[in-house]
Amino acid sequence: MSVRQPQPAAPAGRLSFLDRYLAVWIIAAMAAGLGLGRLLPGLGDGLAKVTVTGVSLPIALGLLVMMYPVLAKVRYDRLDAVTRDRRLLVLSLVLNWIVGPALMFALAWLFLPDLPEYRTGLIVVGLARCIAMVVIWNDLACGDREAAAVLVALNAVFQVLAFGVFGWFYLTVLPGRLGLEQTALDVSGREIARSVLIFLGIPLLAGFLTRRLGERVRGRTWYEARFLPRIGPFALYGLLFTVVVLFALQGDAITSQPFDVARIALPLLVYFALMWAGSMALGRAVGLDYPRATTLAFTAAGNNFELAIAVAIATFGAASGQALAGVVGPLIEVPVLIGLVHVALAVRHRFPQPVAAPKDTVRA
């Protein structure tokens, strides 16, 4: 039985056609979404009418399709090895809930001192921590799938408990102490819990049950060698569909307010670069191997844009500057983190490599 380690990606010649040209498909999906949004002015309103926790139903479906195959690949019997790594867990919480929100707050005020709506929207994005697309970036970069599942779940639970408190602190208490403009954020723990349950709980449960039942009925060899390769491409199909819908929803706003979008994009670019590079460097400094350092970096740099958009719309309205800033978040995050996937793979040789997996396991 062969063993595949969660480390260097296959050479370009052995990658699937979809994986090899992913950057091209992402750009094409963005262009298609923008084109649809401009050619069909009522499309955005139509897509936005039916929502799940404030997020357009097509986006919600795309996210669920995108996350399920990756979570079906997770070896749930290995999760205890991750939960015993207290260093990884503590670093993730510190990066996600101390460094990340503070950095976004600083960048929002530095780059958008004269645009309070966009500034508030960016701070909300910074408070909405990693779920959803993070598992895709981590998998593409050959990160540790089991560690990603644990860190995403850990931060999701912490998000339910802390999002409202952190929103109050960064939008009311801290600005007041610094003599800056204050903003109120009205969001309940129930709304956050519902968002986490839908966008993380459903695909996580589906992935767990699929592996459990598949291995029990047909065996691990069939599950790893036959089933997973069949469902694997649907993660990227879901990603591309989600990108098309996102750009279609905001096509008119993006093309009619390009300068505003550029103003919002600049601090986001700085944020993603600093969070990812700093987390990756920190992982290497404390001796994490490549897969876990990569997982730490992507879970720290990624954001829960579904929650950020839902909170912005529910609190400030769908046509608000805060909502636009929330939407620009994933529009910048997608191409930037795709680029960082390639950077991660290029520098993987500088990190310790993982210890070989036991001989009786297979990694798909």
Side-chain angles (χ1 to χ4, degrees), residues 26 33 36 77 89 105 108 112 114 116 125 140 144 159 163 176 189-190 193 223 278 281-282 303 314 347:
I26 292 287
L36 287 172
D77 56 342
L89 301 182
F105 175 86
L112 303 171
D114 57 328
V125 169
L140 289 172
D144 188 316
Q159 188 158 250
F163 185 92
R190 181 179 299 177
Y223 185 84
L282 179 61
N303 290 87
V347 301

Side-chain angles (χ1 to χ4, degrees), residues 137 272 276 298 301-303 332-342:
W137 314 137
F272 290 130
W276 185 88
F298 280 102
N303 290 87
I332 300 303
E333 178 177 342
V334 170
V336 170
L337 292 191
I338 281 289
L340 291 175
V341 165
H342 293 284

Side-chain angles (χ1 to χ4, degrees), residues 74-332:
V74 171
R75 284 288 304 273
Y76 293 93
D77 56 342
R78 293 179 181 166
L79 294 185
D80 60 334
V82 180
T83 56
R84 289 196 302 266
D85 190 345
R86 301 294 177 84
R87 176 182 53 180
L88 179 66
L89 301 182
V90 170
L91 284 176
S92 181
L93 287 176
V94 169
L95 288 168
N96 272 285
W97 293 102
I98 296 178
V99 178
L103 177 61
M104 187 68 88
F105 175 86
L107 292 173
W109 275 98
L110 178 64
F111 285 93
L112 303 171
D114 57 328
L115 297 171
E117 289 191 359
Y118 297 154
R119 184 178 65 238
T120 298
L122 281 186
I123 293 172
V124 172
V125 169
L127 295 174
R129 307 312 302 170
C130 62
I131 66 171
M133 286 189 181
V134 164
V135 296
I136 293 287
W137 314 137
N138 179 74
D139 210 51
L140 289 172
C142 297
D144 188 316
R145 289 174 186 152
E146 289 69 43
V150 170
L151 294 186
V152 166
L154 174 67
N155 283 288
V157 171
F158 204 84
Q159 188 158 250
V160 172
L161 301 174
F163 185 92
V165 175
F166 275 71
W168 168 72
F169 176 77
Y170 279 103
L171 293 174
T172 303
V173 176
L174 186 58
R177 292 291 181 87
L178 298 176
L180 304 173
E181 182 179 343
Q182 301 178 46
T183 307
L185 183 64
D186 183 19
V187 57
S188 71
R190 181 179 299 177
E191 292 173 312
I192 299 167
R194 186 168 63 244
S195 176
V196 170
L197 178 64
I198 291 172
F199 295 114
L200 175 62
I202 291 176
L204 185 61
L205 179 62
F208 173 77
L209 292 177
T210 300
R211 178 174 279 278
R212 189 74 177 268
L213 295 175
E215 290 187 355
R216 179 176 297 176
V217 174
R218 300 294 296 273
R220 179 168 294 172
T221 300
W222 172 86
Y223 185 84
E224 300 278 3
R226 301 290 298 277
F227 180 72
L228 289 181
R230 290 178 182 175
I231 68 169
F234 284 92
L236 297 183
Y237 298 154
L239 171 62
L240 295 175
F241 174 78
T242 303
V243 171
V244 171
V245 176
L246 276 170
F247 275 78
L249 277 168
Q250 291 291 331
D252 185 63
I254 292 168
T255 54
S256 63
Q257 305 176 64
F259 183 69
D260 285 356
V261 171
R263 289 283 306 270
I264 298 169
L266 186 56
L268 283 168
L269 286 170
V270 176
Y271 171 83
F272 290 130
L274 289 178
M275 281 300 295
W276 185 88
S279 302
M280 200 74 168
L282 179 61
R284 188 179 187 282
V286 300
L288 294 180
D289 61 24
Y290 171 78
R292 290 199 175 178
T294 298
T295 299
L296 179 68
F298 280 102
T299 53
N303 290 87
N304 182 356
F305 69 82
E306 310 94 325
L307 177 60
I309 293 171
V311 169
I313 291 174
T315 304
F316 304 104
S320 65
Q322 291 90 339
L324 178 60
V327 171
V328 172
L331 304 188
I332 300 303

